[in-house]
Amino acid sequence: MISDEIAWELWLNDRCVSHMTSSPHELDVLAVGYCRQQGLIKDGQAVRAFYENRGVSVAVVGIKPTLASKRRPMTVTAERLCSYGTLLDELSAAHHMTHGVHEGALVQDGVVLAYAEDVSRYNVLDRLAGEVYLRNIDTSQAVLVFSGRVPQQVAEKASALGVSCIASRAMATSAGIEAAARLGLTLVCALRSDSFRVFAHEERILVK
């Protein structure tokens, strides 16, 4: 089994804003999330995404309610983090079949709020951003469980999701660690069912 990857155009209000490559599913959610992460969609804008021959078009169609607060103080126990060590394996059929996709999940108290997978690690975060915006998900108490490395851009996209903690099964780069520290993001790497490493803002992790 081989992972599918396609190329398509993303249009916003009748203007092409990006030439995208991604996994072929739920391109509308990815389109909204990409526009959101790039600052092309602002808080309070209601949007609609639809498929066309040229790709996906996103249109601003009105106003929508927004969450009063995107980020509140949060803590998570070390035991809870370890329980997420095998979570992505349990959620992804594509990973087991192809070993060619990245994965991410927003999880709060063991409950999966949103899940995404894509051939690109950055698209995973954009897909989650689309879910958060379209479904108005409060991420302030959620942990972002992630499969890929954490360079600077991943840390920045994670922070933009409104989470205070990212837990990756892979490692971070030096720039990723610096970005997490600067953004106030708790950075956990090498996540396993019995261990993990903390590189920034360990104060949110409670050890019994």
Side-chain angles (χ1 to χ4, degrees):
M1 297 289 291
I2 302 296
S3 300
D4 289 332
E5 182 178 19
I6 62 171
W8 50 282
E9 293 181 347
L10 170 57
W11 292 70
L12 174 64
N13 294 335
D14 295 321
R15 179 173 65 93
C16 184
V17 295
S18 183
H19 295 274
M20 307 283 288
T21 58
S22 73
S23 296
H25 64 283
E26 295 182 338
L27 302 183
D28 51 345
V29 176
L30 173 55
V32 171
Y34 176 88
C35 290
R36 177 64 179 156
Q37 286 275 22
Q38 295 297 315
L40 302 174
I41 296 174
K42 307 299 183 183
D43 275 340
Q45 290 183 325
V47 296
R48 182 170 64 92
F50 49 93
Y51 294 86
E52 297 182 328
N53 291 336
R54 61 192 181 186
V56 178
S57 286
V58 179
V60 177
V61 295
I63 60 173
K64 71 186 288 287
T66 57
L67 296 173
S69 175
K70 292 277 185 176
R71 198 187 300 264
R72 292 180 285 118
M74 66 87 68
T75 57
V76 61
T77 66
E79 290 79 7
R80 176 69 77 182
L81 281 175
C82 285
S83 75
Y84 298 154
T86 59
L87 176 69
L88 297 179
D89 291 331
E90 298 164 4
L91 293 173
S92 174
H95 174 74
H96 292 295
M97 288 189 295
T98 68
H99 298 282
V101 297
H102 289 280
E103 310 158 74
L106 294 168
V107 193
Q108 181 175 329
D109 298 328
V111 177
V112 177
L113 305 179
Y115 169 79
E117 59 186 37
D118 198 279
V119 291
S120 162
R121 68 170 61 89
Y122 301 112
N123 287 351
V124 167
L125 300 174
D126 289 344
R127 287 180 181 275
L128 290 174
E131 293 282 359
V132 167
Y133 196 69
L134 291 170
R135 294 165 50 199
N136 217 31
I137 299 173
D138 183 353
T139 61
S140 63
Q141 301 301 299
V143 174
L144 170 59
V145 183
F146 190 59
S147 65
R149 287 185 300 112
V150 185
Q152 178 177 331
Q153 190 176 1
V154 166
E156 291 171 346
K157 283 179 175 285
S159 180
L161 285 171
V163 300
S164 297
C165 178
I166 177 174
S168 175
R169 297 194 305 195
M171 291 296 289
T173 67
S174 58
I177 294 171
E178 292 170 2
R182 168 173 50 84
L183 294 166
L185 187 67
T186 296
L187 176 59
V188 172
C189 295
L191 178 65
R192 302 291 185 269
S193 60
D194 60 354
S195 64
F196 55 81
R197 300 180 183 180
V198 188
F199 289 91
H201 292 284
E202 67 278 4
E203 66 272 9
R204 293 193 181 93
I205 301 176
L206 306 179
V207 180
K208 294 181 180 179

